[in-house]
Amino acid sequence: MSLAQRISRAPEAIAGITILICLMLVALSAPLLFPGDPLAISGTPLLRPFVDATHWLGTDRLGRDVLAGVVHGARTSLLVGLVSAAAAIVLGSVVGTLAGFAGGLLDELLMRVTDAFQTVPGFLMALAFVSTIGPSLMVVVTAIALASWTAPARLVRAEVLSIRERDYVASARAIGMHPLKIAFREILPNALPPVLGLSAIIVAGAILTEAALSFLGLGDPNRVTWGGMIAEGRAVLRSAPFLSIIPGVALVLTVLGVYLAGEGLVEATSRRSRA
C-alpha cells in the first residue's frame, strides 16, 4: 500500500490537509482577492460583519477591512511558520548529524550549546531577540528558528548514533568516502523521517509564537498579522468582539490543520514501517 493510500485512510490527515490547502489557496490568492493595501482605510469604522456588502466581515476601529486583513494575515502566518520551521530543522539536522557522527569533543561541545539554548524558554528567547534587534519579518523568522532548532538536533543525534555503525556506513568508510559525505549523504537521509514527524509541531509553534509577538506589538509593522488584529480588537472587546474573534478563529484553524496533517502523516509512516 502506497503512502498516499495510507494517508487517505487517516481521517485526521484528510481533515488537516484539506484545511491547509484551503488556507494556502486563500493566502496565494490574497493579491487577487484584495489587491490594495490591507492596512489602508476603506470604509466606516466598526462596521459589523454581514452588514455592508463591500466589507463582509466588517471593519476595525480605523475603517480597515477585516476580511482583507484575515486573508493577507494568512500569508504572513504560513510564511513565518513554514520558513522558520524549515530553518530550525536544517540547523538542528546539521548540528545533530555532526554531533552524532563525530562524537568525542565535538559532540560534547555541540550538546552543551544545545543545552544552553534549551535552558531558555523558546518564546522568551524569541521575545528578547526581536526586542533587541527590532521587529521585522526576517528578524521574527530568525528568532523563532533559533528558539526551535534544539529538538530536531537532539532527535537527529539520537538517530545518527543508532545508524552510524550499520554495514552500509562501514562500507562507505572502507571505500574511502569523505566523512562529511558519509554523514550527510548516507546517514542523514535515513535519520530524517522522525524529524519530519516533529515538523508539524514546530510549524504550529512557530505560527503561535509569531501571533504572540505580533500581539505584543513586536511583529512586522508593515504586514498584517492575526496576532496584531487580535491585539487591535482588545480596546473594543465589549462593543466589537468580532475584531478579535475572527482572526482568533483563523489562527486556531491553521494550528489545528497543521497538527492534524502532522498526526496523519506520522500515523501513515508508522503503518508503513510496521508493514
Side-chain angles (χ1 to χ4, degrees), residues 7 10-21 24 196-197 199-201 203-204 253-269:
I7 291 175
E12 66 274 16
I14 295 175
I17 292 173
T18 301
I19 293 173
L20 290 181
I21 289 175
M24 288 181 181
L196 296 179
S199 62
I201 298 175
V203 171
L253 283 176
T254 303
V255 174
L256 181 63
V258 171
Y259 175 77
L260 290 177
E263 284 293 304
L265 290 174
V266 170
E267 179 63 24
T269 53

Side-chain angles (χ1 to χ4, degrees), residues 119-184:
T119 57
V120 182
F123 177 71
L124 291 182
M125 181 181 298
L127 181 64
F129 190 87
V130 176
S131 300
T132 302
I133 298 181
S136 70
L137 192 64
M138 183 58 65
V139 172
V140 170
V141 168
T142 304
I144 296 173
L146 289 176
S148 308
W149 67 270
T150 53
R154 288 196 171 279
L155 187 56
V156 169
R157 175 181 177 272
E159 291 293 318
V160 170
L161 288 174
S162 67
I163 293 173
R164 67 179 184 178
E165 302 301 331
R166 294 183 182 176
D167 291 341
Y168 69 88
V169 178
S171 300
R173 288 195 180 100
I175 63 175
M177 185 179 290
H178 193 280
L180 289 179
K181 286 186 177 180
I182 297 175
F184 290 100

Side-chain angles (χ1 to χ4, degrees), residues 178-257:
H178 193 280
L180 289 179
K181 286 186 177 180
I182 297 175
F184 290 100
R185 185 178 296 177
E186 302 295 331
I187 296 179
L188 179 58
N190 294 302
L192 278 181
V195 181
L196 296 179
L198 183 66
S199 62
I201 298 175
I202 298 176
V203 171
I207 292 173
L208 290 174
T209 300
E210 185 277 328
L213 291 172
S214 297
F215 183 82
L216 297 175
L218 294 174
D220 190 333
N222 299 316
R223 287 180 174 267
V224 180
T225 62
W226 290 338
M229 294 178 68
I230 295 172
E232 173 69 21
R234 284 184 304 172
V236 289
L237 192 59
R238 291 181 180 273
S239 59
F242 66 91
L243 292 179
S244 294
I245 292 175
I246 291 173
V249 170
L251 181 62
V252 170
L253 283 176
T254 303
V255 174
L256 181 63

Side-chain angles (χ1 to χ4, degrees), residues 40-49 51-52 55 57-66 232 236 239-240 242-243:
I41 296 174
S42 60
T44 305
L46 294 178
L47 284 175
R48 293 189 173 277
V51 172
D52 189 338
H55 303 90
L57 295 183
T59 57
D60 64 7
R61 294 189 301 164
L62 299 178
R64 296 174 295 194
D65 193 336
V66 174
E232 173 69 21
V236 289
S239 59
F242 66 91
L243 292 179

